[in-house]
Structure formats: structure tokens, C-alpha cells
Amino acid sequence: MEENPFPAWSWSVEQCLKEYNVRIDKGLSSYEVEKRRERYGWNELTKEKGKPLWRLVLEQFDDMLVKILLVAAFISFILAYLHGDECEELGFEAYVEPFVIVLILVLNAIVGVIQETNAEKALEALKEMQCESGKVLRDGYFVPDLPARELVPGDIVELRVGDKVPADMRVAALKTSTLRVEQSSLTGEAMPVLKGTSPIFMDDCELQAKENMVFAGTTVVNGSCICIVVNTGMNTEIGKIQTQIHEASLEESNTPLKKKLDEFGNRLTTVIGLVCLIVWVINYKYFLTWDLVNGWPTNFRFSFEKCTYYFKIAVALAVAAIPEGLPAVITTCLALGTRKMAQKNAIVRKLPSVETLGCTTVICSDKTGTLTTNQMSATEFFTLGGKITSSRIFHVEGSTYDPKDGGIVDWNCYNMDANLQAMAEICAVCNDAGIFCNGRLFRATGLPTEAALKVLVEKMGVPDVKARNKIRDTQLAASYLIDRSTVKLGCCEWWTKRSKRVATLEFDRIRKSMSVLVREPTGRNRLLVKGAVESLLERSSHVQLADGSLVPLDEPYRQLLLLRNLEMSSKGLRCLGLAYKDDLGEFSDYYTETHPAHKKLLDPACYSSIESELVFVGVVGLRDPPRDEVHKAIDDCREAGIKVMVITGDNKSTAEAICQEIRLFSEGEQLKGASFTGKEFMALSPSEQIEILSKPGGKVFSRAEPRHKQEIVRMLKEMGEIVAMTGDGVNDAPALKLADIGIAMGITGTEVAKEASDMVLADDNFSTIVSAVAEGRSIYNNMKAFIRYMISSNVGEVISIFLTAALSIPECMIPVQLLWVNLVTDGPPATALGFNPADVDIMRKPPRKSDDALINSWVLFRYLVIGSYVGIATVGVFILWYTQASFLGINLVSDGHTLVELSQLRNWGECSSWSNFTVTPFTVGDGRVITFSNPCDYFSVGKVKAATLSLSVLVAIEMFNSLNALSEDNSLVTMPPWRNPWLLVAMSFSFGMHCLILYVPFLADVFGIVPLSLNEWFLVILVSAPVILIDEVLKLVGRRRRWKRKKKKTA
């Protein structure tokens, strides 16, 4: 049950305990737990009810082209059934057509259902993030492993290092001096967050600022505490994200291509409907006759047989007009595109995303892990030289936790001076982190900043030459080991063995530092301290110079060091100060818990006094560095007309510094109006928000929560932008789902983000998106090529049927033949056009507008001209066979068939009333003789040869037409066929398939055709080839028109 949660973060611990009627030392009673469970339910994410299978199947048929085909199949079935008794030969063959249509539709539906059922796994992945059990106080006793689903608001829970948080909870008491929680997957913060118990006096508080709350699904990385459960199940932050993912999945809109195809389908439906009606109506005189008496029609005579015959022609026209192979060819082309993309590290989860990428206008990128490596690394450090005024700055290369990744620039301090030795010792020993290798990725255990310091020590080396050589040999041997998971940090180990740790002074917020007490090789104790630079300088009395001498630290020198620190932090670096203390008083001989001074170590209030009178050593600057390839990728986006927006959960100054470094903003550019926190942006009016988003140039949104990300994506979509959104955390999942294309990280990404996405980057690299966009653009161009090809072919088929009906001659082709052409012979060349090489300047053009026409008026005119020729050629060859003895020197009557007049052919329905009409038997290619018991059968059974010629001309023309589709405007002279060898292979295959149905007797009977002689093949090629010349002329005219327009613009 949903409750309105109270703002626990702004209430004191006592108020929270009172609100839940619970004592921190007793917990809830079993009776109270049961009562609350009835009210709040179980602590688990509810499973949204998926669509039932029957609904999914039905949805696949909710498409205009599919509906027309279904109607065509139904009518074909009825007509086949009605004519079943008329002819004994009609058996299985009569039902081939409806059977094939239904088979295509069923296959399409199966593919659609599979895609749909795979789409909603993101919510399941969220459940895996939930904690299994927790240590809970019930009836005054701690239950060590209570299943997390049994928690209710008001429960008292203990959390320790490594625990996954089981619900949203208010921190009630700290059991250690500090508590840190890793919540980057929920908020996007690069660093683990310090938690405390003090209330935050803000009612509308962003997630990152709720420093006294821990959230379900996050992990404790340091310390332990007692908490009060505040929200469970769907009321937790992770539950809200599940709701957002579900809402975003309901908002999912069609891809630009799908919209265009739907639009095209609707228009085609209207045209088909009108043409079918016209074809049927202009032949009314054959099935409806009457007598005129006194100017009025009487004695109506209706022929049902003729009516259904012409109705069948109209159905054939519908089948001809619909490119049935289009869905299959598009799927194949997209699948080939996904293979190409996978080779470039972009794994596409949803096929249509390939095409959507091509028209992306805005990329909304997460910062941590996408633009940056999500691995802290030391990039700079400084210590003092021979004088207090001379500082030495060292630059460090490498952006990962791999100690071998980069090194210190111009490093020649292997025999380290006192200052560098102190620095290395503090970084190595005052440190609890570790590093392990997970496959090819180095990861940190413990705090990322501490892991980065350990990597720095490895790059610095050790002062002992003998030890240095030994460490190098050990590392060399380790690189050959099979088990590479543990990374041996030889230099750090050398320092930890040399300086034995005896006590730790935990970090706290007040002094902003941590320290360790170590036993030096001399037998004396030393305190090693690291922390916030300002805090350490306040408590330092001396500074150490390179030679080891100490100089008192007065105010001017302190300001000089603070200025150095400011220079480093202005570059977006997180600065850590390093110091030590030798004069330890009562702690100088501390060794164990029995020592009299031990009680002071148990009281954090004493830590500041212990860490006073320090000797300041230097400063290390750390950051999550940008990836090397990002600069170029941002430039490529700019050139391709794609806007880049960075949306991150990190703080404003860090985000701005990284964005300036990756050149999202030009040097010296004012960030006013380009950089906002999520809260600042949401506080603006809608008109101001739209104005900011529509301005050119980069934008950065920091401290963004999941709802902010979603809102920005939604606004961009409403503005007509095609949005690609990248992300790796749970917090990114709703926006990934809502974006036109959601892109998740493959290495650092959570399962939730991957399942919500359309595409996964195998290398987590922003530049991979840019190469995927180029691939998407190329695929779209190729799809346009084959859609144009298929449509021009279909226009030709429609015109041929229309001419057949208009001239009242017998039908040249039956629906099953047209289906064969559309599916089998058109399919391979159309698919092969998907292999057309990409244009060289593909990423120098602006993204196409999502409402750009798939076929503009000039292209439509061209294909009407081509279609008209296809129609005239297919009908023309049919008429030639019946009426002409020869054509351009080719003898057409060598088979012995009877010639008729064109007028007889046009009035073939009245054949029974002709006197003295006789026909002679004729032979077909396989030596078979066609004979007639009734001379009028010459126009039905006898048209088999003429129909074969028509079908063969149609197939041949479409093969030549596929060559025309290689380029929209370029001539075959500049874009020769061998530029795409796959097309030549596909043409050969299609022609081979056509020959198969011609020369295999069983198939020839099914399709109602006969084998052709060599002479007849000559005729087919002669009639088909001119289609290339016609399109070459039209392309030339198109090029001239474009050149004139360009000239006008430049004039």
C-alpha cells in the first residue's frame, strides 16, 4: 500500500523513533510487525503485469499493410473455395496464395512477439539489486539474517562494512567514527558518500544531500551504524525508479523509420483501395448488362462468375501493390547492421535502434564512466624544493587503477629525497584500499581515492635500489601467471613492511583527516596523516623541504601553499594534503591496547589534539579523468551537427572542469546559461527551459536526480529532437527507457541499465557511440535505396494489372506469381542493397530531420516513370505473343501458336459468340504440347506461355532496376555495379530462383508457367534492358536540377 512518507531526513532521530513508536534498544515486537505488514506490505518490488501472449500476438497485426494482406488472403481463400468445383486440376495449387500470405504474416508476428517479450527484463534486474537479508532488532534481540522482504517501516537494522542496504533508512546512531556508503549506481556520485545522524533542515531535498539517509540497493564501504527503516518496497528510491522505468516503457514511441513506414502504409492503403475500385468498376460491363427500354435500363443480367473474376484481379492488384518482402528485408538489413556495430563494440539489443541512431540529434551523456574512466587517479602532486618558496610540481600519466598504465612525467627521482620518501610512505601506509583485476579491468576495493594513492606509490617506486630491482623482477614474473585477479603492489608492500601500523585514527567530518600510528625501522613511532589541505595546514607548524630540513610555517607561507592548492582544485582535482608528526609525546612508545594512552585513541574528540603540530609534506591532486578518445568524439559530433549534453549526479565544479577539458565548451566560454544543477534547471519556467535546450552548443546538468534526467529527455523529445541517452547506473534506467535510444555501459554498467537500454557499449567508450551513429546513417541510406527499389517494382506491378484491366485483356499474372516476385525475386537484391558502401562525407552532414520524406516528389515522379515502363513492358510482351509473328527480328511463332487480332484479345470474353474461331495446339519449352477442347480456352489455359513471358520480363526488369538503386543520383558510370559485389550475387540468385520455378515441372504447375526457349529469353532481355537507360536519363535531370538549385543559393 502506498503511503505518503514523512521527511525523515529533516527530523531528529528522537522524532523519527517517536513517529514509528519504536525504541532503538528494543526494536519492534512481532505483533507490531504483523500489523505494519498489513498496512505497508512486503519489502519487495512488485512485478508489473506483462501483456498476455494473445494480446502481444494481436498487436503484431495492428498494421495497415498487414490488415490489407489479411483481407487479400481471406478473399483469395473464399474465391479458391468457390472455384474449387469448376476445374478438377484445382487442388492444393488454388490455396497456395492465401497459404503463403498467412505464412508471411505468422512469421512476422513471431519475430515481433519475441522482441516484445525480451524488452521488459530491466525490472527483473532491479530485483537482483535488492538485498537478501539483514541484521534486525526484534523483541529486544538481534535476528542475524532476517530476510529483507520481511522488513517493515520502524524496524531497527544494523549495517556493517560490505552490507547491501535492504530498505531506505534513517541513520540513527554511528557505531564507528565514520560511515561511508557507495551510492553511485543510484545518484551518479563518483565517490562514496559520508553519512551522519544530524537532521538536514530542508523539506525538498535532493537525493545527494540526504546525508543522514541510506538507500536500498547501495553498499556500505566503511564503518557501521544503527538505522530506522523509513520506506520499504515500492516506496523506496529504487522502487520509484522501477515505477519510472515502467512509465517510460509505456511512453515508448515508434522509431522514425517505423513512423515513416506507417505513414507510407496508410497512404498506400488509400491508393490501393481507389485503384482496386476503379479496376473493378471499369470492367462492370462484363458482369452486369441490361436492356434500354424508352431510355430506362431494364432486364438486368448479373454474372457472378465474371464478377468474382474481376474481383480477383482487384485482389491481385492489392497483393502487387504491397511490398510483402519489405518487413523481412528491413529486418535482415538491420541485423547485418548490428553485426557491423558489434565489431565496433556497440551491441544492439533492439533492431530498430540501428536506424534511430542515424538520425540522432542530441546525445545526453552521463559523465562518470562514459566521458570519464570511473577510476580515480593521481594526475598531479607537489612538494617543496630546496626553499619554501620553490615548489616542485610532478605530473602523472595514466587514467586507470593499472599500476603499469602511464607513469610520472620526467621522473628521475628514483633515489628519492626526504620529501618524496615521506610522501610515498604516507600514501602507502595511511591507506586501507586494494586493487584487483577483473578480466581486463582493474578495480578498487575500499575507497577509490586511497586506491589511486597506492597506484601513485607504485609509479614512484622505492628508494632502496636492491628492493626496487627485486620488485621489478616479481612484477615481470606475475605477468606470466594464470591467476591475474590479485594485483601485487610491491612498492606499497615494501613501505607497509618497513613502517608497521600500530593504530588508526578514523576519518571524521570535523577534522577532515585520517591518520595511522606506525613503528618506524628506527624503533620510534610516527603519525602519518592525510586529509583536506586547508584542515591540515591549520594544524601544521612546520614544512619539510627536499633535503629533510624543517622550516616553520608562518601565515604568508600558508597562504602560498593554499594558493597552490586552489590552482589544482580549479582544474577539477580533488586535493589531499599529506603530513606527518614525529614528536608524539605519550604516543611515541605506543605499541598495544594495554598502553596507558590507549583510551585516548577510543575517543574521536581527542584526535584533533593528537594530529596537531604536524609537518606538512605536500599535496596530491586526484580525479576521475576523461577518456583519451572523448576529445575527438566531441569534435566529430559538432561536425555532424549533433548536440552533446552532459547530465551527471556529480557536483557542479567537477562536471564543469571535465566538460571544459573534453572541449564541450570552447576555451574562455562563459558557462552562464550552459551549466545548471538539476534543481536550478527544474526551477525555471517551461519557456526558459525550452530556450536553454534549443540553444546551440554543449550543456552540462550536475547534481541531477533520475527524475531530472527523465524530464530533460522528455522535453527534448517534445521539441522534436531524436535523443540518445547514455548511462550506467540504476538512476539512469528510467531515462534510458524513455530516450529514443538508450545506451548502457557494458563493463561498468549495472544489469538494470543494460536491460533498460537499446544498445550496450562493450568498451564503455563515448567515441563508440559516434562511430555507431555513422553506421546508423549509412544503414538508413541503404534502407532508402532498397525501399525505393521495392516500391518502384511494386508500382510497375500495379500499372501492369491496371493496364490489363483497362485494356480488358486476360490477366497477365496471377496473385501467387506476384507474391513470388515480391518475396523471392525482389528480396535478395533489396537485401544486397543494404551492403552499399557508406558515403565518405557521411559524418559531415547534419542529421536528417525525423520528418524528412522517405520518398520526395521528384523521386516519386521518377519511380512512376520507371513503374509505367515496367507495366507497359510486362503487358506489352503478353500482347506481342498473342498478336505479332516477330519482334525486332525475333521469331515469336516458332512454337506454332495461333495469332489473334488485338480487338479479339480485348474482347476475349465474347469468344463463344465468334464464328469460325479455331486455334492450333502449340509446344512449350519442355516439348509438351498444349491442346484445346474449347477454342475459348486459348485465353485462359492457353495464355500460359504469354504469362510466363510477362513474369520473366517483370523479374528481369527488376534485376536491372536494382542496379539503378545503387545510388539515388549517381550514374552507373561513377557508381559501377562491382562497388557492391553482393548485389551481383543476389541478382544471380534471384534469376536462378526464377529459372528453378520455370524448369522444375512441379513448381511450374504450382505457379502456372512453362519453360522458355533461348529465342524467347532474347525477347525478355531486349524488352527489359531499356529500364537502365530511362533511369540514367532521369538521374541526369535530377543532378542538373540540384546543381541549378545550388547555383541559385550561392548567387
Side-chain angles (χ1 to χ4, degrees):
M1 175 187 165
E2 204 170 305
E3 293 282 325
N4 283 329
F6 73 99
W9 60 88
S10 64
W11 290 23
S12 68
V13 175
E14 291 72 31
Q15 283 174 302
C16 292
L17 290 167
K18 196 175 172 187
E19 170 72 18
Y20 284 113
N21 192 20
V22 65
R23 278 172 55 188
I24 200 160
D25 56 339
K26 284 271 191 244
L28 294 173
S29 66
S30 302
Y31 170 70
E32 189 61 37
V33 168
E34 287 307 317
K35 260 174 68 181
R36 291 187 189 196
R37 183 159 304 121
E38 281 173 29
R39 183 177 166 196
Y40 297 104
W42 294 98
N43 175 33
E44 59 188 1
L45 300 180
T46 57
K47 192 176 188 314
E48 297 288 345
K49 270 191 176 173
K51 290 177 190 168
L53 188 64
W54 63 266
R55 176 96 175 272
L56 282 177
V57 173
L58 275 182
E59 277 179 9
Q60 307 311 313
F61 293 91
D62 187 21
D63 181 289
M64 208 38 116
L65 293 181
V66 171
K67 284 174 186 168
I68 298 171
L69 275 177
L70 272 174
V71 171
F74 178 71
I75 293 167
S76 299
F77 181 82
I78 298 294
L79 294 177
Y81 181 75
L82 290 175
H83 288 276
D85 303 326
E86 291 177 19
C87 182
E88 293 88 52
E89 290 173 32
L90 279 173
F92 164 73
E93 291 93 332
Y95 295 99
V96 166
E97 184 195 322
F99 173 75
V100 172
I101 297 175
V102 171
L103 187 66
I104 297 160
L105 297 178
V106 167
L107 287 173
N108 264 344
I110 289 168
V111 171
V113 168
I114 291 168
Q115 276 194 329
E116 286 259 351
T117 46
N118 287 343
E120 293 309 311
K121 287 186 183 168
L123 308 180
E124 292 302 312
L126 261 176
K127 292 195 166 184
E128 286 171 27
M129 285 201 68
Q130 285 187 293
C131 169
E132 295 297 315
S133 61
K135 188 177 179 183
V136 184
L137 188 65
R138 293 262 176 97
D139 298 310
Y141 298 99
F142 271 107
V143 182
D145 286 308
L146 186 86
R149 73 186 291 267
E150 293 182 19
L151 286 177
V152 293
D155 259 326
I156 304 295
V157 178
E158 183 182 326
L159 291 176
R160 299 178 301 276
V161 176
D163 283 355
K164 208 173 237 186
V165 180
D168 286 4
M169 304 192 282
R170 169 75 159 88
V171 180
L174 296 183
K175 295 189 79 177
T176 52
S177 56
T178 54
L179 174 73
R180 273 196 185 88
V181 177
E182 161 63 70
Q183 55 184 41
S184 65
S185 66
L186 195 67
T187 61
E189 291 160 294
M191 299 295 303
V193 182
L194 264 173
K195 298 288 182 181
T197 57
S198 312
I200 290 135
F201 299 108
M202 276 166 72
D203 274 1
D204 179 25
C205 184
E206 59 192 20
L207 220 55
Q208 292 92 329
K210 293 179 184 174
E211 291 173 348
N212 53 17
M213 297 284 293
V214 289
F215 304 106
T218 60
T219 311
V220 179
V221 291
N222 169 253
S224 71
C225 65
I226 300 288
C227 303
I228 311 160
V229 174
V230 175
N231 290 320
T232 57
M234 293 302 287
N235 291 328
T236 59
E237 290 301 327
I238 206 170
K240 288 175 191 168
I241 286 176
Q242 160 148 342
T243 308
Q244 288 168 350
I245 292 176
H246 183 66
E247 283 168 5
S249 70
L250 297 177
E251 277 184 49
E252 277 189 87
S253 54
N254 286 332
T255 66
L257 180 73
K258 179 84 172 74
K259 286 176 189 166
K260 290 220 183 65
L261 289 174
D262 286 350
E263 235 172 76
F264 167 69
N266 290 334
R267 283 185 192 159
L268 190 65
T269 308
T270 315
V271 173
I272 290 169
L274 285 170
V275 175
C276 287
L277 196 64
I278 292 164
V279 166
W280 198 39
V281 169
I282 60 173
N283 288 290
Y284 75 90
K285 59 183 182 215
Y286 295 108
F287 56 82
L288 187 64
T289 53
W290 59 81
D291 299 327
L292 282 173
V293 178
N294 300 326
W296 290 93
T298 52
N299 302 330
F300 285 96
R301 290 179 296 281
F302 176 74
S303 165
F304 181 72
E305 186 193 338
K306 287 284 177 65
C307 176
T308 53
Y309 173 79
Y310 285 102
F311 191 65
K312 206 172 177 189
I313 286 182
V315 170
L317 201 142
V319 172
I322 300 168
E324 291 88 355
L326 194 59
V329 175
I330 287 175
T331 305
T332 311
C333 182
L334 292 176
L336 293 169
T338 60
R339 280 188 62 191
K340 274 192 198 168
M341 285 188 180
Q343 288 160 6
K344 295 179 182 178
N345 287 319
I347 299 151
V348 178
R349 295 184 65 249
K350 294 172 187 172
L351 277 185
S353 318
V354 179
E355 180 273 329
T356 313
L357 262 172
C359 55
T360 300
T361 56
V362 178
I363 298 175
C364 293
S365 177
D366 189 28
K367 176 187 75 71
T368 311
T370 312
L371 298 171
T372 65
T373 60
N374 198 17
Q375 299 192 14
M376 289 301 267
S377 65
T379 55
E380 211 173 279
F381 65 92
F382 87 82
T383 64
L384 293 172
K387 294 193 294 230
I388 195 159
T389 50
S390 68
S391 57
R392 298 173 298 169
I393 297 174
F394 297 91
H395 295 278
V396 188
E397 288 176 337
S399 56
T400 65
Y401 293 129
D402 181 359
K404 296 190 192 74
D405 176 20
I408 301 166
V409 180
D410 302 327
W411 181 251
N412 51 13
C413 308
Y414 291 113
N415 301 320
M416 294 149 79
D417 57 47
N419 236 353
L420 294 170
Q421 284 190 40
M423 197 167 208
E425 182 183 11
I426 298 163
C427 289
V429 185
C430 187
N431 196 320
D432 292 316
I435 289 165
F436 68 98
C437 184
N438 177 12
R440 58 194 176 128
L441 190 74
F442 285 81
R443 290 186 181 272
T445 53
L447 297 176
T449 42
E450 292 194 340
L453 292 177
K454 284 211 164 175
V455 172
L456 175 63
V457 174
E458 293 305 307
K459 288 174 182 176
M460 289 173 81
V462 293
D464 187 327
V465 181
K466 219 167 153 187
R468 193 159 63 237
N469 292 335
K470 194 178 174 187
I471 290 165
R472 194 169 56 239
D473 294 343
T474 312
Q475 284 173 342
L476 205 66
S479 61
Y480 293 103
L481 290 175
I482 297 167
D483 174 30
R484 305 271 292 282
S485 59
T486 48
V487 179
K488 201 160 173 62
L489 304 172
C491 300
C492 292
E493 277 180 21
W494 185 84
W495 282 109
T496 48
K497 278 176 188 168
R498 180 184 169 278
S499 307
K500 291 273 191 302
R501 207 160 141 169
V502 288
T504 303
L505 282 71
E506 288 271 9
F507 180 94
D508 68 43
R509 285 162 180 250
I510 299 154
R511 63 187 220 289
K512 293 181 182 168
S513 60
M514 78 154 291
S515 55
V516 291
L517 202 60
V518 296
R519 177 65 55 95
E520 292 286 298
T522 55
R524 288 176 60 79
N525 282 357
R526 174 180 267 195
L527 186 72
L528 307 177
V529 191
K530 72 170 193 295
V533 178
E534 300 88 339
S535 175
L536 254 61
L537 282 171
E538 269 174 35
R539 287 179 277 138
S540 295
S541 57
H542 290 79
V543 177
Q544 180 173 278
L545 300 182
D547 61 0
S549 59
L550 304 182
V551 179
L553 180 64
D554 57 12
E555 195 52 39
Y557 289 154
R558 188 175 275 117
Q559 289 307 317
L560 196 72
L561 290 168
L562 282 170
L563 195 68
R564 276 273 174 276
N565 177 56
L566 190 67
E567 280 172 21
M568 286 172 77
S569 51
S570 65
K571 296 177 197 168
L573 299 182
R574 180 189 167 89
C575 296
L576 275 180
L578 307 173
Y580 71 88
K581 182 178 180 179
D582 279 333
D583 187 10
L584 289 168
E586 60 185 318
F587 288 101
S588 56
D589 62 345
Y590 177 89
Y591 53 91
T592 176
E593 292 178 8
T594 55
H595 192 275
H598 179 68
K599 62 179 180 294
K600 279 193 177 177
L601 292 178
L602 297 175
D603 182 9
C606 302
Y607 290 177
S608 290
S609 60
I610 299 168
E611 289 176 3
S612 59
E613 301 296 312
L614 301 172
V615 177
F616 193 78
V617 176
V619 177
V620 180
L622 305 128
R623 65 169 181 163
D624 177 8
R627 293 172 178 275
D628 299 334
E629 317 81 4
V630 170
H631 302 95
K632 188 182 178 306
I634 295 279
D635 291 342
D636 288 347
C637 284
R638 203 171 281 128
E639 205 173 358
I642 299 167
K643 277 197 279 190
V644 178
M645 296 185 184
V646 176
I647 309 176
T648 176
D650 224 330
N651 66 58
K652 200 172 184 178
S653 58
T654 310
E656 285 176 355
I658 290 286
C659 289
Q660 278 171 321
E661 192 176 342
I662 61 173
R663 298 201 288 269
L664 181 65
F665 304 118
S666 49
E667 222 167 294
E669 187 183 332
Q670 284 294 314
L671 298 189
K672 194 176 187 310
S675 173
F676 301 87
T677 65
K679 213 168 176 187
E680 286 168 357
F681 184 71
M682 288 304 152
L684 299 172
S685 68
S687 58
E688 286 174 307
Q689 290 174 338
I690 288 167
E691 191 188 335
I692 287 160
L693 292 175
S694 53
K695 274 182 190 167
K699 305 275 178 295
V700 59
F701 301 96
S702 43
R703 282 293 197 218
E705 290 184 31
R707 60 194 172 90
H708 298 152
K709 294 184 179 189
Q710 234 180 321
E711 208 49 53
I712 292 167
V713 170
R714 189 178 285 116
M715 267 184 250
L716 287 165
K717 283 180 78 174
E718 281 167 8
M719 287 161 60
E721 305 280 7
I722 301 294
V723 186
M725 167 83 196
T726 77
D728 56 356
V730 182
N731 59 326
D732 300 318
L736 288 174
K737 201 87 179 116
L738 184 62
D740 293 291
I741 175 153
I743 304 167
M745 303 297 118
I747 301 171
T748 54
T750 56
E751 278 308 304
V752 184
K754 287 179 197 172
E755 290 294 349
S757 69
D758 303 292
M759 189 172 106
V760 178
L761 299 183
D763 57 357
D764 285 16
N765 201 326
F766 181 82
S767 59
T768 304
I769 303 169
V770 182
S771 53
V773 168
E775 192 61 50
R777 287 185 175 190
S778 160
I779 286 167
Y780 181 76
N781 288 349
N782 293 347
M783 281 166 77
K784 259 175 89 172
F786 69 62
I787 289 170
R788 285 198 309 269
Y789 160 66
M790 291 187 96
I791 289 166
S792 69
S793 301
N794 284 59
V795 167
E797 292 167 21
V798 170
I799 290 174
S800 73
I801 292 172
F802 187 77
L803 284 175
T804 304
L807 294 171
S808 305
I809 61 173
E811 57 177 341
C812 304
M813 283 172 285
I814 54 173
V816 74
Q817 291 171 348
L818 290 169
L819 258 179
W820 174 261
V821 171
N822 285 354
L823 281 171
V824 183
T825 48
D826 281 3
T831 308
L833 287 168
F835 288 97
N836 279 354
D839 296 343
V840 189
D841 60 348
I842 201 153
M843 283 302 275
R844 284 188 225 120
K845 295 174 183 172
R848 69 175 200 277
K849 292 189 179 74
S850 56
D851 57 353
D852 273 2
L854 198 62
I855 296 166
N856 60 34
S857 51
W858 167 246
V859 172
L860 182 65
F861 169 75
R862 260 174 61 184
Y863 288 106
L864 282 172
V865 172
I866 296 289
S868 301
Y869 180 75
V870 174
I872 291 164
T874 46
V875 174
V877 81
F878 187 88
I879 295 171
L880 278 176
W881 188 82
Y882 268 109
T883 62
Q884 301 298 315
S886 68
F887 179 73
L888 294 176
I890 298 171
N891 181 5
L892 300 181
V893 289
S894 55
D895 58 2
H897 73 272
T898 307
L899 294 178
V900 295
E901 295 293 322
L902 181 59
S903 57
Q904 286 179 302
L905 188 62
R906 290 194 61 187
N907 294 294
W908 65 279
E910 296 163 17
C911 164
S912 53
S913 63
W914 298 342
S915 57
N916 304 323
F917 177 67
T918 56
V919 289
T920 56
F922 64 90
T923 55
V924 291
D926 56 358
R928 197 154 47 98
V929 178
I930 308 284
T931 56
F932 310 98
S933 53
N934 177 357
C936 291
D937 286 347
Y938 186 48
F939 299 106
S940 53
V941 180
K943 69 173 183 180
V944 65
K945 174 71 75 72
T948 306
L949 285 168
S950 277
L951 183 64
S952 301
V953 163
L954 183 64
V955 169
I957 283 188
E958 296 193 357
M959 293 308 102
F960 289 129
N961 198 19
S962 66
L963 295 176
N964 290 333
L966 265 172
S967 172
E968 190 171 338
D969 289 310
N970 292 326
S971 162
L972 278 172
V973 178
T974 54
M975 183 87 168
W978 48 89
R979 281 285 298 277
N980 183 352
W982 290 107
L983 182 59
L984 299 174
V985 171
M987 286 168 67
S988 309
F989 174 77
S990 288
F991 230 91
M993 291 302 286
H994 181 63
C995 290
L996 186 77
I997 63 163
L998 279 181
Y999 295 101
V1000 172
F1002 165 69
L1003 292 172
D1005 289 346
V1006 168
F1007 288 97
I1009 49 178
V1010 290
L1012 296 179
S1013 65
L1014 194 61
N1015 226 13
E1016 286 155 351
W1017 273 116
F1018 274 129
L1019 175 68
V1020 167
I1021 302 299
L1022 198 66
V1023 173
S1024 310
V1027 77
I1028 291 180
L1029 294 172
I1030 295 168
D1031 204 41
E1032 284 293 303
V1033 172
L1034 290 167
K1035 281 180 182 177
L1036 181 66
V1037 174
R1039 287 198 296 275
R1040 285 270 169 87
R1041 284 174 77 237
R1042 210 171 63 237
W1043 181 73
K1044 277 181 185 170
R1045 269 205 310 272
K1046 214 174 181 183
K1047 211 172 174 186
K1048 253 188 194 174
K1049 271 186 186 176
T1050 51

